[in-house]
């Protein structure tokens, strides 16, 4: 991948580049505290334009009664993963929804939509806003919603987003199974207890692992949960790792080496 890449130490044919929490794009607007894994708004670094079809991972915290007013999108798959609090979504397709922890909402912007996202209730909302590039342009706009419990995530990796058309991925607005996305991308989530190890094969050419910042806002060195990936690198809350899959079905192995539960997101993509 680059001179900074780290090779898996457990025999897997994988290479990693660490994305440290304190090096992410970061802005504190008062009403919004946000981190950018990729280029977004005023943050720009030529190294972080995209990773395969993955274009945006923003970890946002929005204060009560605040949010993103009505604005337009097109030709992106836009999904929200709710960590804490409640988020109100409204869009030009007539969808109105209040999302809470465990919810995943995906807007397929296609030829164009307008939407708003605002905090609902008296507590801040913490969520990840993720964008991917669709495989086909000019799609009709669409909206999907799913819910995944903490209990499910504590049992192992849960497929929360899946490539539309793949086995087990339903095109229903509300349903079970992964949220459908028009990109070559799967997203898995888990809650990993201290001392536990979890594995997941990568079936596509790239991956990205993100440790959610669950113990509170922090723009410095990571605090809270700590994990070790494929015996090769340690990640804390807010850290991530770009993954290059040099083989077929190579196994990503994650061990919780800290003293608190870790919330993890693993992307498998082209």
């Amino acid at each position: 991948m680059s001179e900074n890449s780290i090779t898996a130490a457990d025999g897997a044919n994988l290479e990693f580049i660490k994305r440290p929490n304190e090096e992410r794009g970061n802005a504190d607007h008062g009403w919004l505290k946000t981190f950018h894994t990729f280029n977004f708004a005023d943050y720009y670094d030529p190294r972080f334009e995209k990773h395969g079809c993955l274009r945006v991972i923003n970890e946002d915290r929005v204060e009560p009664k605040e949010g993103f007013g009505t604005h337009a999108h097109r030709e992106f798959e836009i999904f929200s993963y709710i960590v804490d609090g409640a988020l109100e979504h409204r869009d030009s397709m007539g969808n109105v929804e209040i999302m809470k922890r465990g919810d995943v909402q995906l807007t397929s912007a296609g030829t164009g939509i307008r939407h708003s996202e605002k905090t609902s209730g008296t507590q801040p909302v913490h969520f990840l806003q993720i964008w991917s590039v669709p495989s086909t342009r000019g799609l009709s706009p669409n909206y999907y919603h799913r819910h995944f419990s903490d209990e499910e995530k504590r049992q192992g990796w849960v497929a929360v987003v899946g490539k539309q058309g793949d086995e087990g991925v339903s095109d229903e607005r509300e349903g079970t199974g992964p949220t459908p996305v028009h990109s070559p991308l799967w997203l898995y989530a888990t809650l990993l207890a201290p001392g536990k190890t979890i594995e997941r094969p990568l079936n596509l050419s790239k991956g990205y692992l993100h440790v959610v910042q669950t113990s509170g806002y922090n723009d410095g060195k990571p605090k809270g949960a700590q994990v070790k990936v494929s015996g090769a690198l340690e990640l804390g809350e807010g850290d991530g790792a770009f993954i290059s899959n040099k083989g077929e079905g190579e196994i990503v192995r994650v061990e919780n080496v800290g003293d608190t539960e870790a919330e993890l997101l693993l992307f498998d993509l082209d």
Side-chain angles (χ1 to χ4, degrees):
M1 293 174 74
S2 80
E3 61 184 16
N4 297 318
S5 65
I6 301 168
T7 302
D10 58 1
N13 196 5
L14 298 168
E15 291 184 357
F16 304 90
I17 293 179
K18 187 174 181 177
R19 184 70 163 115
N21 175 63
E22 67 272 19
E23 295 181 11
R24 289 191 289 176
N26 170 242
D28 183 349
H29 301 289
W31 67 272
L32 166 68
K33 294 181 174 69
T34 181
F35 291 97
H36 309 309
T37 297
F38 298 98
N39 297 333
F40 196 87
D42 294 332
Y43 172 70
Y44 178 75
D45 185 319
R47 298 174 296 169
F48 303 116
E49 183 64 29
K50 63 179 181 177
H51 185 54
C53 67
L54 190 56
R55 177 61 186 83
V56 170
I57 305 175
N58 290 347
E59 188 163 1
D60 292 340
R61 289 174 172 84
V62 183
E63 290 297 308
K65 300 180 181 180
E66 300 286 356
F68 306 95
T70 303
H71 57 284
H73 290 287
R74 62 183 299 159
E75 304 301 350
F76 275 112
E77 305 286 283
I78 302 168
F79 38 114
S80 299
Y81 177 97
I82 312 301
V83 180
D84 192 34
L87 183 69
E88 180 188 88
H89 169 95
R90 294 177 179 266
D91 64 42
S92 54
M93 294 179 282
N95 297 295
V96 179
E97 192 128 38
I98 294 177
M99 299 171 289
K100 298 181 179 180
R101 175 163 178 81
D103 287 341
V104 175
Q105 171 266 325
L106 192 146
T107 300
S108 181
T111 55
I113 59 98
R114 294 177 63 80
H115 74 168
S116 65
E117 292 170 313
K118 297 182 178 181
T119 300
S120 177
T122 59
Q123 300 299 316
V125 63
H126 176 196
F127 71 107
L128 281 91
Q129 178 185 170
I130 302 162
W131 300 9
S132 66
V133 179
S135 301
T136 303
R137 294 179 62 86
L139 295 169
S140 297
N142 221 325
Y143 178 92
Y144 306 98
H145 171 263
R146 301 288 188 272
H147 179 80
F148 305 93
S149 69
D150 285 357
E151 289 72 21
E152 291 177 86
K153 295 172 190 172
R154 291 190 175 105
Q155 298 303 310
W157 289 113
V158 178
V160 299
V161 176
K163 181 184 174 186
Q164 183 134 23
D166 280 7
E167 184 177 355
V169 181
S170 167
D171 191 39
E172 295 178 2
R173 181 191 186 279
E174 307 273 348
T176 58
T179 319
V181 65
H182 298 88
S183 305
L185 179 151
W186 283 75
L187 173 59
Y188 302 89
T190 194
L191 294 169
L192 188 63
K196 298 295 184 180
T197 298
I198 194 167
E199 298 179 348
R200 176 74 214 173
L202 284 186
N203 297 312
L204 301 174
S205 63
K206 297 175 177 65
Y208 189 82
L209 180 65
H210 179 72
V211 185
V212 179
Q213 203 180 68
T214 51
S215 65
Y217 174 79
N218 169 36
D219 60 2
K221 295 286 185 181
K223 300 175 182 178
Q226 283 189 307
V227 299
K228 192 167 188 178
V229 187
S230 295
L233 75 162
E234 290 196 8
L235 303 177
E237 290 185 11
D239 286 342
F242 297 100
I243 307 171
S244 179
N245 186 3
K246 300 295 187 179
E248 295 184 3
E250 299 294 323
I251 302 295
V252 177
R253 184 173 181 269
V254 186
E255 178 186 5
N256 188 333
V257 295
D259 58 6
T260 189
E261 185 175 71
E263 185 160 6
L264 307 170
L265 297 178
L266 177 64
F267 297 83
D268 187 357
L269 70 148
D270 280 329

